[in-house]
């Protein structure tokens, strides 16, 4: 068997299946077109609609090397030879074309003749009663019956869901030899050790499972196979784990060189470098596919992986940000064929750098919490850190159990690892329970049936705002009907249609439909079942029958507003990249008649000067009145022309290229003006953050910009008239009025504060402890937080040896707590920060601070008395009985 790199094996697989007539698709995004999945988890995910019969494939057979992310076994990554978060799935697929005979014999041909595996070391598993697969393996391939194993549903049957496509599968395994065995006498095919290594799973989707569990043969039989590139590479390169292949080992060596550790010398450091080498691959590919760190969904997974890599870096001495140093190596290993790594390098670097620095601060907070707890345990002669706190450090502050254990070891303490695992299992149960609520099955519906029957309807809206259309289908309440009557709200499928369906951020068209017997209003236009254009229509009068003709007309004024905003979005994108840097990338957009909204990657707010420059730049491009050039071509041609691909778009083989000469070129299926001058003008009305590393610009053009300009002018005139000043004196006059208001407020506060001080003894409750420490509480309203703090200072001067807790009930119904302890109280052991943290929890809030002063917020003012009632015991715990 010839030694090959992982990259060579990927190409060998793709070329082999192309030679068998398959169409090669480059890897699809890690972000799937599937609401039931967070990530693309297998090669078949992008083709799921074909297996469900909801869409017809453009080619009956396909081959891919698909980027995948799975995190269900994240805690096993680095501990085993094969678990990964990011991996590549080699797969070949067929829909109503070749089936078991070809799938099995060609797989055998690839492994034995192209890769060069020893046929005598190969085994196959099949479903219990799959005699067709047995015959192919035994009679055609020539595999002896003793090397063909039969297993039940759990091992060798595949289901897409409770109902729907399913079928038996056959797995190909390779005997790596006794040195890979677990050593048990029962070790055989199916053992969990690595001796009989599972290489390739061939799924034969041939049945449709019904609600009652019965199986109906599918009209077209399908093939879905999957083989991990990393696993195949480890076999070909004759190494014991995926981490020792050329896909991982350079990253491991890099981590070792950065820290001085020697791979293979210490299980703990080995685990750390393996985790880092796995996670940095996931991080780079996820960001390249448009995922950014957040507290939910895909962004949460990215953040967790990044923080986990950083945590393990800490275990081997990497204290400063280090993840970006792996990026050049990842690009070298994976940049061909994954050019997005290089194209998005700036964004990947900036996101990692920002997130890593933020996490360093979180780690510091966790360290402080752990140090405080260790001090408390030692002070009370307790030798074990409880598992609940160890889990809080893991889950909230990013401490791996190993790090907590190491820190505790240094202080002579143990960690309650059973308690930690109990909390970990509870979290997993919560996650599983939550997933049951969000998992759904994608099933065919009425729109899928219509789409399969009529195919794609012609769209004429690029060139015209009206057309004569045939009503090819009417849908009401989820069912096809023959007629629609006055007052009905129905979905119509028209052929051809001038109405643009919502896609790529551009909203759907509205307009009218009419003929001699019918009048309807198009309220919206959208896509269903992939590419089926659907008009949402209210029948105003008359009756509409299927297969009749109507005159379709788009709302032209609304369409013009959309066209202006869409082209302006392209100009804004270009200007942002010029002004802020190449890391700027679209991460979402809305193009409506009223506004354009553009979301992009950037890591700090834009200054007024930057916004003015960008706004001026876009208006300059508008005034240049450049004619747009719109054409179609292949993705390769578009990339050669420098076209930008937008984040939320999904592109086919033929793409639409929108070029504004000397300005920008983008892939875009939307509707645009003919020349930039038709936009009229452009005005930014808002810039804001919508998440970590994501900014949003909202702007208007044309009629919207004119309305804002006129409104601002009218407002300016009204201010000048009311204040009796000219425009040049307006700002100074407003400043004078603001200063007068400020002085009056200050005087009012001083008077109110004086009144509070006069009645202070009535508003306070003073309780003296046995050790002479006063616990002083009070509740107030209608004052500012600053006044509350001044009040605290006055009380502290008047009553020495005191802990002061003041509650402010704010106008919004929330509670602000202020805690103060003077020097005598602190000397006795009082810690204001720790006390206020407990009180805030009682009030459904949070907060803290130092021993002398602390603040917290709460949501329930009705629990203030309950919180105050805890003070006596809390102080007693701190100062002793």
């Amino acid at each position: 068997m010839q030694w090959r790199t992982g990259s060579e094996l990927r190409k060998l697989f793709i070329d082999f299946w192309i030679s068998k007539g398959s169409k090669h698709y480059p890897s699809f995004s890690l972000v799937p077109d599937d609401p039931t999945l967070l990530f693309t988890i297998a090669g078949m995910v992008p083709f799921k609609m074909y297996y469900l019969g909801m869409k017809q494939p453009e080619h009956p057979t396909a081959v891919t090397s698909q980027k995948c992310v799975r995190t269900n076994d994240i805690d096993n990554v680095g501990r085993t030879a094969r678990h990964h978060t990011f991996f590549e799935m080699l797969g070949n697929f067929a829909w109503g074309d070749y089936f078991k005979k070809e799938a099995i014999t060609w797989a055998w041909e690839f492994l034995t003749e192209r890769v060069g595996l020893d046929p005598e070391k190969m085994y196959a598993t099949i479903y219990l009663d799959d005699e067709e697969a047995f015959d192919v393996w035994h009679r055609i391939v020539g595999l002896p019956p003793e090397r063909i194993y039969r297993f039940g549903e759990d091992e060798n049957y595949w289901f897409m869901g409770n109902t729907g496509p399913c079928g038996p599968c056959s797995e190909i395994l390779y005997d790596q030899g006794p040195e890979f065995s677990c050593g048990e006498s029962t070790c055989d095919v199916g053992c969990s050790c690595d001796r009989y290594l599972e290489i390739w799973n061939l799924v034969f989707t041939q049945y449709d499972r019904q609600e009652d569990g019965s199986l109906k043969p599918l009209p077209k039989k399908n093939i879905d196979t999957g083989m991990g590139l990393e696993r195949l590479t480890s076999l070909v390169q004759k190494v014991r784990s995926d981490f020792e292949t050329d896909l991982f080992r350079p990253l491991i060596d890099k981590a070792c060189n950065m820290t001085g550790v020697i791979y293979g010398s210490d299980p703990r450091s080995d685990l750390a470098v393996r985790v880092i080498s796995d996670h940095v691959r996931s991080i780079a590919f996820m960001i390249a596919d448009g995922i950014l760190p957040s507290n939910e969904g895909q962004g949460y997974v990215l953040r967790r992986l990044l923080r986990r890599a950083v945590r393990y870096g800490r275990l081997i001495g990497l204290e400063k940000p280090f993840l970006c140093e792996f990026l050049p190596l990842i690009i070298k290993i994976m940049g061909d064929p994954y050019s997005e790594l290089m194209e998005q390098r700036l964004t990947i670097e900036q996101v990692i750098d920002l997130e890593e620095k933020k996490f360093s601060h979180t780690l510091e907070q966790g360290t402080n919490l752990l140090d405080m707890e260790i001090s408390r345990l030692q002070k009370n002669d307790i030798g074990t850190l409880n598992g609940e706190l160890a889990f809080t450090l893991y889950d909230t502050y990013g401490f791996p159990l190993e790090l907590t254990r190491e820190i505790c070891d240094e202080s002579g303490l143990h960690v309650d690892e059973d308690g930690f695992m109990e909390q970990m299992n509870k979290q997993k149960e919560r996650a599983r329970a939550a997933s049951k609520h969000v998992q759904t099955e994608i099933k065919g519906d009425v729109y899928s049936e219509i789409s399969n029957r009529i195919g794609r309807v012609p769209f004429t809206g690029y060139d015209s705002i009206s057309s004569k259309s045939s009503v090819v289908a009417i849908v009401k309440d989820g069912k096809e009907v023959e007629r629609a009557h006055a007052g009905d709200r129905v979905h119509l499928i028209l052929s051809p249609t001038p109405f643009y369906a919502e896609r790529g951020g551009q909203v759907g068209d509205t307009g009218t439909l009419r003929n001699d017997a019918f009048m309807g209003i198009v309220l919206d236009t959208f896509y269903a079942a992939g590419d089926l254009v659907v008009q949402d229509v209210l029948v105003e009068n008359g009756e509409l029958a299927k297969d009749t003709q109507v005159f379709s007309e788009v709302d032209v004024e609304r369409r013009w507003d959309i066209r202006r905003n869409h082209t302006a979005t392209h100009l804004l994108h270009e200007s942002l990249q010029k002004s802020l840097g190449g890391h700027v990338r679209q991460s979402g957009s809305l193009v409506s008649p009223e506004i354009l909204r553009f979301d992009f990657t950037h890591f700090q707010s834009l200054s007024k000067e930057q916004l003015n420059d960008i706004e001026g730049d876009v208006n300059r491009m508008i005034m240049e009145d450049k004619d747009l050039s719109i054409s179609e071509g292949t993705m390769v041609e578009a990339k050669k022309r420098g076209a930008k691909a937008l984040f939320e778009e999904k592109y086919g083989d033929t793409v639409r290229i929108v070029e504004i000469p000397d300005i920008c070129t983008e892939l875009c299926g939307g509707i645009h003006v003919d020349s930039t001058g038709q936009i009229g003008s452009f005005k930014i009305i808002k810039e804001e953050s919508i998440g970590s590393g994501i900014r949003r610009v909202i702007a208007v053009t044309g009629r919207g910009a004119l309305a804002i300009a006129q409104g601002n002018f009218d407002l300016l005139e009204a201010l000048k008239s009311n204040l009796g000043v000219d425009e040049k004196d307006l700002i100074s006059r407003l400043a004078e009025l603001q200063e007068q208001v400020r002085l009056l407020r200050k005087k009012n506060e001083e008077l109110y504060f004086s009144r509070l001080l006069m009645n202070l003894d009535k508003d306070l409750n003073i309780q003296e402890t046995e050790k002479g420490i006063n616990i002083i509480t009070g509740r107030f309203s209608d004052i500012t937080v600053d006044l509350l703090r001044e009040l605290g200072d006055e009380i502290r001067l008047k009553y020495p040896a005191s802990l002061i807790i003041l509650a402010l009930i704010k106008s919004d119904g929330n509670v602000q707590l202020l805690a103060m302890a003077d020097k005598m109280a602190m000397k006795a052991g009082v810690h204001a920060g720790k006390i206020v943290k407990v009180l805030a929890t009682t009030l459904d809030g949070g907060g803290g601070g130092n021993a002398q002063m602390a603040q917290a917020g709460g949501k329930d003012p009705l629990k203030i008395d309950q919180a105050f009632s805890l003070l006596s015991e809390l102080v007693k715990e701190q100062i002793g009985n």
Side-chain angles (χ1 to χ4, degrees):
M1 179 170 57
Q2 180 185 345
W3 193 95
R4 288 186 171 91
T5 65
S7 183
E8 288 169 342
L9 286 169
R10 184 194 300 116
K11 186 176 187 304
L12 192 71
F13 181 84
I14 292 167
D15 289 346
F16 174 80
W17 287 103
I18 289 174
S19 75
K20 300 298 184 184
S22 294
K23 177 178 174 59
H24 172 231
Y25 290 90
S27 177
F28 296 86
S29 172
L30 286 171
V31 181
D33 247 352
D34 184 338
T36 70
L37 296 171
L38 269 185
F39 297 102
T40 301
I41 58 171
M44 65 78 62
V45 168
F47 303 120
K48 192 171 177 180
M49 304 288 264
Y50 302 156
Y51 288 99
L52 290 165
M54 297 174 70
K55 287 180 70 175
Q56 295 302 311
E58 59 181 354
H59 196 281
T61 60
V63 58
T64 63
S65 180
Q66 176 61 46
K67 301 177 292 188
C68 299
V69 163
R70 294 181 188 174
T71 57
N72 51 322
D73 287 320
I74 189 171
D75 290 316
N76 287 325
V77 172
R79 300 180 188 277
T80 71
R82 314 288 171 199
H83 278 98
H84 307 294
T85 54
F86 174 88
F87 62 96
E88 291 180 77
M89 182 78 83
L90 303 174
N92 55 286
F93 312 91
W95 305 279
D97 196 87
Y98 65 80
F99 198 50
K100 287 184 188 178
K101 176 185 173 183
E102 295 83 359
I104 292 172
T105 56
W106 287 344
W108 181 265
E109 178 187 342
F110 174 74
L111 291 174
T112 58
E113 297 181 21
R114 300 297 176 92
V115 177
L117 297 185
D118 183 353
E120 299 303 315
K121 295 183 178 181
M122 292 172 69
Y123 292 74
T125 66
I126 60 172
Y127 181 57
L128 283 172
D129 60 3
D130 191 352
E131 300 305 326
E132 183 182 359
F134 179 85
D135 285 343
V136 176
W137 278 118
H138 179 49
R139 301 185 189 282
I140 301 177
V141 171
L143 205 61
E146 62 270 19
R147 300 218 316 263
I148 304 172
Y149 286 67
R150 295 176 185 264
F151 290 103
E153 272 193 7
D154 288 346
E155 297 292 333
N156 278 76
Y157 213 93
W158 180 85
F159 300 96
M160 184 170 283
N162 294 326
T163 60
C166 61
C169 59
S170 179
E171 198 139 34
I172 303 172
L173 303 93
Y174 192 82
D175 181 1
Q176 297 194 92
E179 64 271 25
F180 285 83
S181 173
C182 58
E184 298 291 332
S185 59
T186 56
C187 184
D188 197 356
V189 169
C191 183
S192 60
C193 73
D194 265 4
R195 173 169 181 173
Y196 299 97
L197 186 67
E198 300 165 356
I199 310 170
W200 202 345
N201 193 24
L202 316 178
V203 179
F204 313 122
T205 313
Q206 60 188 104
Y207 299 111
D208 183 3
R209 184 155 75 163
Q210 306 301 299
E211 294 282 356
D212 62 1
S214 61
L215 301 175
K216 286 186 177 180
L218 287 169
K220 290 182 179 180
K221 298 175 180 179
N222 308 314
I223 291 292
D224 160 28
T225 86
M227 173 166 55
L229 174 63
E230 295 81 4
R231 184 171 293 214
L232 178 64
T233 304
S234 73
L235 187 60
V236 171
Q237 295 180 3
K238 298 180 180 178
V239 291
R240 295 194 70 91
S241 87
D242 296 353
F243 291 102
E244 294 171 39
T245 68
D246 71 317
L247 296 170
F248 285 95
R249 190 55 192 257
L251 300 170
I252 287 176
D253 290 343
K254 172 75 174 175
C256 289
N257 291 335
M258 291 168 69
T259 58
V261 305
I262 299 172
Y263 189 61
S265 64
D266 179 4
R268 291 189 305 173
S269 59
D270 287 355
L271 171 64
V273 296
R274 285 195 294 265
V275 169
I276 291 167
S277 70
D278 173 89
H279 288 10
V280 291
R281 297 192 340 151
S282 291
I283 292 162
F285 275 98
M286 289 167 76
I287 298 171
D289 275 358
I291 299 168
L292 293 167
S294 69
N295 290 325
E296 59 185 17
Q298 296 145 345
Y300 173 76
V301 175
L302 170 59
R303 175 167 282 164
R304 186 182 177 199
L305 290 174
L306 193 149
R307 291 184 169 190
R308 199 166 186 267
V310 172
R311 289 179 341 221
Y312 275 97
R314 292 291 193 277
L315 290 175
I316 53 174
L318 292 169
E319 298 294 332
K320 294 180 180 178
F322 66 91
L323 292 177
C324 282
E325 296 186 40
F326 288 89
L327 193 54
L329 201 50
I330 294 172
I331 293 172
K332 182 179 178 182
I333 299 168
M334 312 287 284
D336 181 14
Y338 301 113
S339 59
E340 62 267 28
L341 290 170
M342 191 63 198
E343 292 165 2
Q344 303 299 336
R345 179 172 178 168
L346 273 174
T347 301
I348 297 169
E349 288 176 339
Q350 292 206 355
V351 171
I352 290 175
D353 184 60
L354 179 71
E355 191 70 13
E356 203 170 353
K357 286 176 179 174
K358 283 171 61 178
F359 184 49
S360 293
H361 178 64
T362 305
L363 273 175
E364 188 179 329
Q365 290 178 314
T367 302
N368 291 338
L369 176 63
L370 182 54
D371 288 346
M372 285 171 56
E373 182 62 14
I374 288 172
S375 296
R376 187 187 74 81
L377 294 173
Q378 290 175 331
K379 184 178 179 181
N380 292 281
D381 201 25
I382 300 172
T384 302
L385 182 82
N386 75 67
E388 191 170 343
L389 180 62
F391 182 76
T392 298
L393 288 165
Y394 168 84
D395 193 47
T396 305
Y397 296 98
F399 276 53
L401 182 60
E402 294 85 356
L403 182 59
T404 302
R405 187 193 300 128
E406 189 173 288
I407 295 171
C408 287
D409 283 347
E410 292 170 359
S411 301
L413 300 175
H414 299 290
V415 178
D416 174 15
E417 296 191 24
D418 290 339
F420 174 89
M421 290 310 301
E422 182 183 344
Q423 295 298 319
M424 176 74 82
N425 291 331
K426 284 181 180 178
Q427 188 194 59
K428 287 180 178 178
E429 284 299 320
R430 288 192 296 269
R432 274 194 285 269
S435 69
K436 290 176 184 175
H437 297 296
V438 299
Q439 286 181 348
T440 58
E441 295 176 41
I442 298 180
K443 298 182 179 180
D445 56 15
V446 64
Y447 302 105
S448 304
E449 295 166 7
I450 295 169
S451 180
N452 287 336
R453 185 173 74 235
I454 68 173
R456 188 189 293 252
V457 298
F459 173 64
T460 60
Y462 288 134
D463 305 310
S464 173
I465 59 159
S466 62
S467 71
K468 289 183 178 178
S469 307
S470 175
V471 180
V472 296
I474 304 173
V475 176
K476 183 181 179 185
D477 299 329
K479 297 179 181 178
E480 261 198 272
V481 296
E482 293 297 315
R483 295 178 180 277
H485 306 278
D488 285 350
R489 179 86 174 263
V490 293
H491 289 167
L492 303 183
I493 288 80
L494 307 174
S495 182
T497 178
F499 296 100
Y500 181 89
E502 180 174 354
R503 179 167 284 181
Q506 180 178 322
V507 298
D509 276 332
T510 62
T512 58
L513 304 173
R514 62 181 184 275
N515 61 24
D516 292 341
F518 157 82
M519 176 69 183
I521 300 173
V522 178
L523 303 172
D524 192 13
T525 309
F526 61 92
Y527 281 104
D531 294 317
L532 184 69
V533 179
V534 180
Q535 281 74 203
D536 182 7
V537 177
L538 175 65
V539 181
E540 276 216 313
N541 54 62
E543 181 180 279
L544 180 67
K546 183 181 171 183
D547 296 327
T548 56
Q549 297 287 311
V550 294
F551 182 72
S552 307
E553 188 170 24
V554 176
D555 182 334
V556 65
E557 286 298 320
R558 183 177 181 275
R559 167 74 79 82
W560 261 109
D561 291 336
I562 293 170
R563 292 172 69 183
R564 293 184 188 101
N565 283 340
H566 202 148
T567 306
T569 301
H570 286 219
L571 300 180
L572 173 61
H573 190 182
E574 181 65 21
S575 186
L576 286 166
Q577 285 195 326
K578 281 194 303 183
S579 299
L580 306 179
H583 65 277
V584 168
R585 180 181 62 185
Q586 178 175 339
S587 61
S589 70
L590 171 68
V591 177
S592 73
E594 297 81 20
I595 63 163
L596 67 92
R597 189 183 72 207
F598 190 78
D599 303 337
F600 59 99
T601 52
H602 190 57
F603 308 99
Q604 59 190 46
S605 61
L606 275 63
S607 67
K608 184 173 174 24
E609 291 74 19
Q610 286 176 313
L611 289 171
N612 285 341
D613 288 345
I614 291 164
E615 185 176 278
D617 189 40
V618 173
N619 278 295
R620 176 190 57 76
M621 291 186 274
I622 290 170
M623 288 184 285
E624 287 178 357
D625 197 22
K626 298 271 189 179
D627 290 333
L628 274 69
S629 170
I630 299 177
S631 59
E632 289 189 345
T634 66
M635 181 65 84
V636 173
E637 291 168 347
K639 285 192 173 183
K640 284 181 180 176
R641 290 169 60 179
K644 291 194 287 276
L646 303 188
F647 168 64
E648 74 269 25
E649 285 279 11
K650 307 293 180 185
Y651 300 104
D653 285 346
T654 301
V655 294
R656 191 165 178 265
I657 306 165
V658 176
E659 181 179 3
I660 306 174
D662 304 319
I663 295 177
C664 62
T665 304
E666 294 193 11
L667 305 185
C668 182
I671 298 177
H672 291 269
V673 296
D674 301 314
S675 68
T676 60
Q678 292 177 337
I679 297 171
S681 61
F682 171 88
K683 178 64 184 172
I684 294 174
I685 58 174
K686 193 173 187 181
E687 189 273 338
E688 61 184 343
S689 168
I690 59 166
S692 178
I694 301 286
R695 308 297 302 180
R696 170 174 288 172
V697 166
I698 300 174
V700 290
T701 67
R703 293 193 299 171
L706 176 62
I708 283 181
Q710 289 175 332
N712 287 343
F713 182 81
D714 291 344
L715 177 62
L716 183 64
E717 289 299 304
L719 285 170
K720 285 160 56 180
S721 174
N722 289 340
L723 296 176
V725 294
D726 294 330
E727 189 173 322
K728 62 182 175 59
D729 298 321
L730 185 59
I731 298 299
S732 60
R733 178 60 180 145
L734 285 172
E736 288 174 12
L737 290 172
Q738 286 175 319
E739 179 62 14
Q740 290 175 18
V741 169
R742 187 187 69 80
L743 291 172
L744 287 170
R745 279 180 177 164
K746 185 178 179 183
K747 187 173 182 180
N748 187 48
E749 286 177 358
E750 288 171 352
L751 290 170
Y752 187 70
F753 189 63
S754 298
R755 196 178 72 188
L756 280 174
L757 290 177
M758 288 172 61
N759 298 295
L760 192 56
D761 291 339
K762 297 177 183 177
D763 295 329
L764 297 177
N765 178 40
I766 303 172
Q767 177 185 357
E768 186 175 344
T769 67
E770 293 177 5
K771 292 199 173 183
I773 302 298
N774 295 310
I775 301 173
I776 301 175
T777 59
R779 68 170 72 199
F780 301 89
S781 58
D782 301 323
I783 64 171
T784 65
V785 174
D786 288 340
L787 273 183
L788 188 73
R789 200 173 292 117
E790 287 186 41
L791 201 57
D793 289 335
E794 291 291 335
I795 297 169
R796 187 160 51 180
L797 289 172
K798 187 172 182 180
Y799 297 97
S802 296
L803 168 68
I804 303 156
I805 307 288
L806 304 181
L808 170 62
I809 303 173
K810 298 162 75 174
S811 58
D812 60 4
N814 288 324
V815 180
Q816 181 79 31
L817 284 180
L818 174 69
M820 290 179 165
D822 67 4
K823 288 182 180 179
M824 292 175 67
M826 287 189 290
K827 190 174 181 180
V830 173
H831 192 293
K834 292 179 180 179
I835 287 176
V836 84
K837 189 173 183 180
V838 175
L839 301 187
T841 304
T842 306
L843 299 173
D844 301 329
N850 56 36
Q852 184 178 11
M853 190 177 82
Q855 294 185 112
K859 298 176 182 177
D860 192 348
L862 297 177
K863 294 181 178 178
I864 292 175
D865 288 339
Q866 181 185 341
F868 284 172
S869 69
L870 303 174
L871 283 168
S872 180
E873 282 301 316
L874 289 173
V875 172
K876 191 181 290 185
E877 285 178 14
Q878 290 189 343
I879 66 177
N881 295 324

